[in-house]
Amino acid sequence: GEDHYLPFVIAHTVLRVRVHLLEHRFVSLAHLEILPLRSGLNEVVLHARHLDIHEIHCQWKDGNNTPPVEPASHSVKDYRSGLMRKDPLRRDCATLKVHLRAAEYKADRGELFVHLPPSFVQIREPFKPIVLTIAYRVEDPQAGLRFVSATAPTPLMETPGQDVEMYDAAPPKGAFAPEVANCDPAEETDQVGVMDTSRRIPAHVYVDSQIQSARYWFPCLDTQTHTSTYSITFVTDPDIVVTATGELVEHYYDEDRKLSSYVFREATPIRASCVGFAAGYFQIHPDPENDYMTYFCLRGRYPKLAHSVRRAGESMPLIDRFLDNGVSFPYSTLKIVFVDDVKDFHANFASLCILSTHLLHDERCIDQTWYTREAICRAVCAQYSHCHSRIASAKDMWIREGLLEYLAYNHLPALFGRNDRKSWMYETKTSITSQREFSRPVFYDFFLDPYDMLSDTAWKSRAFLCFHTLAMRLGYEAFNSVLASFLDVPINDKDDEIFNWSTKIPPPFETYTLVNKARLIEPSPDVRDFVQLFLEPRNLIEIQCGYIFNHKRHNVEFGLTRRNSKVTGNITIYMHELEGRQEHKVLINDEAVQADFNCQSKLRKEGGKRKKRKEREEKERLERERLEKERLEKERLEKERLERERRKREEEEAARRGA
């Protein structure tokens, strides 16, 4: 993988974060358990961008005794901050591109250089773990973390009678904007006196879902392959609710109840980019069907939250049932948080999903139901594809995107029916075929910034189509068994130490390993040369085909021409006949290919069909006339019966009057 050059790994990370929500900053203390892999390790390079490092100490890890602590010197180098400053005469686009690519490559190696004391340099194996203690703070982060300031309510534009959530207690000072916190509730009403608290946006903070977002709020190895276990403690004001990656093991207050602490632990090794949290003035809604699912929303939006997620708990059982190879949800809990101003409407972390609060709706907005349920479905699928699964290197990132769309594509029929899935597939294929050439292949084997890939929607769609093609070649059941070999992982023993860096984790996804496992099931040329046929080409294969039916020979004459590609392989032709669909395979080994397909259905004369159709129509006409006569006869008899009863009543009335 991309971590082969690292002389060490991080076995476990302990974070203690003091969040100052209203001041847009936090102070943290990070304990990194460093395990050397090579002799003579005297420098530790970490990813820590825009962090204000205060001091660093190091000590040996000793569970029984307290080892001495020694200070360690450090230096911070940000290669992106000094692009082309030394050569002002060559400030052209080509030079900037070269410098920028070199800076991105250097910056990805790390920005924080920790120089270990000479007493911590180990020459012989076995190497002892080293614990680095880094004190730092973050103020007004430029990326990674997103602080949302409190805002005032917007004017009420909807009709009265909307769902309104009132606070159980007064919001803390500073939780809302000054014009909101100091206003009179009587002045914040509409013309009928309904208080619009749902328009308020309380202050909150959350981690933005970016490829390299972790390095902006804690020191780590922010790569796509390195994994570690985590233990995170958040210290906040008592009115602030915090949720984060991992399982909440403890929540307590201090003696004066002025501070609240949340302790989260994640025993499964995960990437640094899969660690996230959200803190703010949230309301909590447990899922009524699944005990391990919990929803969070900003204050004032609880009624919409309860209505929007009433059937969201169906996603995980449906995905587990679809895979059906012993694969279950990889985490013990799942938290879904709805926040404001989130990018792309969703951010995915291990056991934590951050969605946009604009997805919440009430029962009157029925058009929003589809988009909200689809976003929750994709967020749950991302727990399998982006958080739980591992890749061997950055060039295998297409597997994550393809797996996400593949799970969502097969999950949609259970929620919305098959027509929606067919429409999605049609739109995806149409958008791909409209472009004859692409900027990059699906599977690349050269240096490329991951931001460029994930911002390319055509690349994501092609990754999904490659996944779908491989599933169609093997069959869903066989292909799911291949995926299960990468997603299934034995459950850890609870008696094991949570900080054990060698905890069993699923094997990494690797393109050639995936194809080789598929070849064992289907050894066809399409699967054997899957990388060359579908993943490496930059353009589409333009094929024009046509056919005519030969009445005398009773077969179909098929012709095919290929223009802009030299790819060879089999193509499957489906013919729909009277007896059903017939499958034919044609080998493409030249620019023009011709083939004859014998029709399996018997030839029927058109006259016989017309005669049978007329007889059937005549029988139907006679049946309709008979039913019409019976209906008229019943109506006539009913009228006569009513007339006799009327006359009888009149005679009885006349006799009563004469008496």
Side-chain angles (χ1 to χ4, degrees), residues 201-269:
I201 300 179
H204 57 283
V205 60
Y206 59 92
V207 178
D208 195 1
S209 179
Q210 298 178 3
I211 299 178
Q212 299 175 348
S213 61
R215 64 184 66 186
Y216 287 95
W217 69 282
F218 73 95
C220 59
L221 289 178
D222 193 7
T223 64
Q224 295 296 314
T225 57
H226 182 269
T227 58
S228 173
T229 56
Y230 290 86
S231 177
I232 311 176
T233 302
F234 295 93
V235 182
T236 61
D237 297 335
D239 296 324
I240 296 178
V241 178
V242 180
T243 181
T245 295
E247 184 177 359
L248 179 63
V249 296
E250 191 176 3
H251 176 218
Y252 58 91
Y253 297 89
D254 60 350
E255 296 179 357
D256 300 334
R257 296 188 67 85
K258 293 183 179 180
L259 294 177
S260 175
S261 299
Y262 295 82
V263 181
F264 296 89
R265 287 183 180 177
E266 180 56 55
T268 303

Side-chain angles (χ1 to χ4, degrees), residues 547 549 554-557 573-584 596-604 609:
Y547 71 95
F549 179 70
H554 193 58
N555 64 357
V556 173
E557 298 177 357
I573 309 296
Y574 294 99
M575 293 178 51
H576 293 268
E577 304 182 18
L578 296 177
E579 303 296 337
R581 191 180 70 173
Q582 304 296 331
E583 178 180 336
H584 305 276
D596 295 339
F597 305 139
N598 294 325
C599 296
Q600 305 297 329
S601 302
K602 296 181 179 180
L603 184 62
R604 300 176 182 176
K609 292 183 180 179

Side-chain angles (χ1 to χ4, degrees), residues 600-651:
Q600 305 297 329
S601 302
K602 296 181 179 180
L603 184 62
R604 300 176 182 176
K605 295 183 179 180
E606 188 66 23
K609 292 183 180 179
R610 189 180 300 109
K611 182 178 180 180
K612 291 182 179 180
R613 185 172 61 253
K614 289 183 178 180
E615 293 177 355
R616 184 173 61 255
E617 292 175 355
E618 182 67 19
K619 290 181 180 179
E620 293 176 354
R621 185 183 63 80
L622 295 176
E623 183 67 18
R624 288 195 299 269
E625 292 178 355
R626 184 183 65 81
L627 294 176
E628 183 67 19
K629 289 181 181 180
E630 291 179 357
R631 186 183 63 81
L632 295 176
E633 183 66 21
K634 289 181 180 179
E635 292 179 356
R636 185 183 63 79
L637 295 176
E638 184 66 16
K639 290 181 180 180
E640 292 179 356
R641 185 182 64 80
L642 295 176
E643 183 67 21
R644 288 195 300 269
E645 292 178 356
R646 185 184 63 80
R647 291 179 181 179
K648 185 177 180 180
R649 286 195 300 270
E650 290 178 354
E651 291 176 358

Side-chain angles (χ1 to χ4, degrees), residues 348-365:
N348 302 301
F349 306 95
S351 71
L352 176 67
C353 303
I354 297 179
L355 304 179
S356 174
T357 189
H358 301 293
L359 295 172
L360 301 179
H361 61 92
D362 53 14
E363 63 274 3
R364 295 175 300 175
C365 188

Side-chain angles (χ1 to χ4, degrees), residues 64-179:
N64 299 326
N65 303 320
T66 303
V69 179
E70 297 185 20
S73 60
H74 69 279
S75 59
V76 179
K77 299 179 181 180
D78 191 353
Y79 294 91
R80 295 188 179 187
S81 60
L83 290 179
M84 299 180 63
R85 289 186 178 181
K86 297 182 180 180
D87 191 4
L89 299 178
R90 299 185 59 187
R91 301 181 63 88
D92 55 288
C93 294
T95 306
L96 176 62
K97 186 176 181 180
V98 173
H99 283 246
L100 180 60
R101 187 175 294 274
E104 289 177 346
Y105 180 74
K106 286 290 186 181
D108 196 50
R109 294 294 183 97
E111 297 84 11
L112 177 60
F113 294 80
V114 181
H115 309 286
L116 299 178
S119 59
F120 286 84
V121 178
Q122 305 180 57
I123 305 300
R124 298 180 180 179
E125 297 182 359
F127 302 125
K128 296 174 58 178
I130 303 173
V131 178
L132 290 182
T133 302
I134 305 175
Y136 66 97
R137 64 177 180 178
V138 178
E139 294 185 2
D140 291 327
Q142 300 179 5
L145 284 180
R146 186 181 294 270
F147 284 90
V148 180
S149 302
T151 59
T154 56
L156 185 64
M157 301 300 293
E158 300 178 359
T159 57
Q162 60 179 344
D163 295 329
V164 176
E165 175 70 14
M166 304 299 291
Y167 298 118
D168 298 334
K173 184 178 180 180
F176 299 102
E179 60 270 18

